[in-house]
């Protein structure tokens, strides 16, 4: 990124897909992107939606007995985000949230003992296949309505991954 910035290059769209949770300094990551932006740049940041309301409820109910999403052994995740914490971080670094959306809340399958892929070995793949079938059905029916649902997932704080779209200025239409 430093070479692009030193060349004065600016970009219309910048994406970081499952990157931010791995960096050493999330604020510095955002700040290093600033020189690459102009007033209409869109920044798409996608991260795992960890410690979500779904995961908290699953713990409270006893449906899961561990933070299955925490990468303690490997140390590969330096940060854990929800929609609100990601949006707040972006704002603190000079970006404004334009919109947010989540993917399918596959963690919903953890509420049923027969599909609880954390507590029951061998069911995770079928949960994933069901997720894909549901997503395909929704998008085949209406792309616009399906995307509206994904925005509602983010507003509700659910979904396995969350994407926040940030901007530098105003007047965006997405």
């Amino acid at each position: 990124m430093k070479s692009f910035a030193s060349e004065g290059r600016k970009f219309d769209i910048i994406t970081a897909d499952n990157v931010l949770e791995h960096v050493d300094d999330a604020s510095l990551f955002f700040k290093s992107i600033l020189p690459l932006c102009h007033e209409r740049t869109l920044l798409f940041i996608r991260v795992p939606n960890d410690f979500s309301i779904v995961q908290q409820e699953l713990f409270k109910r006893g449906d899961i007995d561990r933070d299955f999403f925490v990468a303690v052994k490997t140390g590969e995740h330096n940060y854990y985000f929800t929609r609100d914490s990601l949006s707040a971080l972006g704002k603190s670094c000079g970006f404004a949230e334009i919109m947010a959306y989540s993917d399918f809340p596959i963690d919903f399958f953890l509420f049923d003992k027969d599909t609880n892929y954390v507590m029951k070995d061998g069911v995770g793949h079928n949960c994933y296949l069901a997720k894909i079938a549901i997503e395909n059905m929704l998008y085949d029916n209406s792309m616009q309505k399906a995307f509206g649902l994904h925005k509602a997932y983010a507003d509700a704080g659910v979904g396995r991954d969350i994407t926040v779209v940030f901007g530098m200025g105003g007047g965006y239409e997405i």
Side-chain angles (χ1 to χ4, degrees):
M1 286 192 289
K2 287 182 182 179
S3 67
F4 288 141
S6 65
E7 295 169 8
R9 296 192 54 191
K10 305 285 185 186
F11 296 90
D12 295 333
I13 297 173
I14 299 171
T15 64
D17 189 346
N18 287 294
V19 171
L20 193 60
E21 67 274 17
H22 301 281
V23 302
D24 290 332
D25 187 330
S27 292
L28 182 61
F29 179 84
F30 268 97
K31 291 173 185 171
S32 69
I33 292 171
L34 279 169
L36 305 175
C37 299
H38 55 73
E39 71 276 355
R40 307 251 328 132
T41 297
L42 295 175
L43 174 60
F44 290 75
I45 303 285
R46 181 179 183 209
V47 295
N49 185 23
D50 290 327
F51 297 99
S52 70
I53 63 167
V54 173
Q55 293 160 350
Q56 291 175 36
E57 181 66 17
L58 288 164
F59 273 117
K60 188 168 84 175
R61 293 169 39 109
D63 291 327
I64 57 175
D65 63 355
R66 61 191 175 279
D67 295 328
F68 64 93
F69 48 87
V70 174
V72 173
K73 291 180 184 172
T74 62
E76 65 184 50
H77 287 183
N78 295 320
Y79 296 94
Y80 295 90
F81 295 98
T82 62
R83 184 247 177 108
D84 291 341
S85 66
L86 179 57
S87 183
L89 176 61
K91 184 177 182 180
S92 74
C93 296
F95 292 89
E97 180 184 316
I98 296 169
M99 64 176 280
Y101 56 92
S102 295
D103 68 348
F104 180 83
I106 196 167
D107 293 354
F108 282 1
F109 288 119
L110 300 176
F111 284 97
D112 184 296
K113 67 179 175 58
D114 293 326
T115 58
N116 187 324
Y117 54 86
V118 170
M119 303 298 287
K120 185 175 181 178
D121 288 338
V123 298
H125 182 70
N126 286 338
C127 292
Y128 174 75
L129 294 176
K131 166 197 176 317
I132 297 300
I134 293 166
E135 293 272 281
N136 287 340
M137 174 198 64
L138 291 169
Y139 276 96
D140 285 347
N141 181 53
S142 168
M143 294 280 288
Q144 185 176 7
K145 289 178 182 177
F147 191 65
L149 181 59
H150 286 278
K151 291 186 338 190
Y153 288 153
D155 288 343
V158 302
R160 186 64 201 107
D161 285 321
I162 188 116
T163 301
V164 175
V165 182
F166 294 99
M168 301 298 299
Y172 295 96
E173 282 188 44
I174 298 179

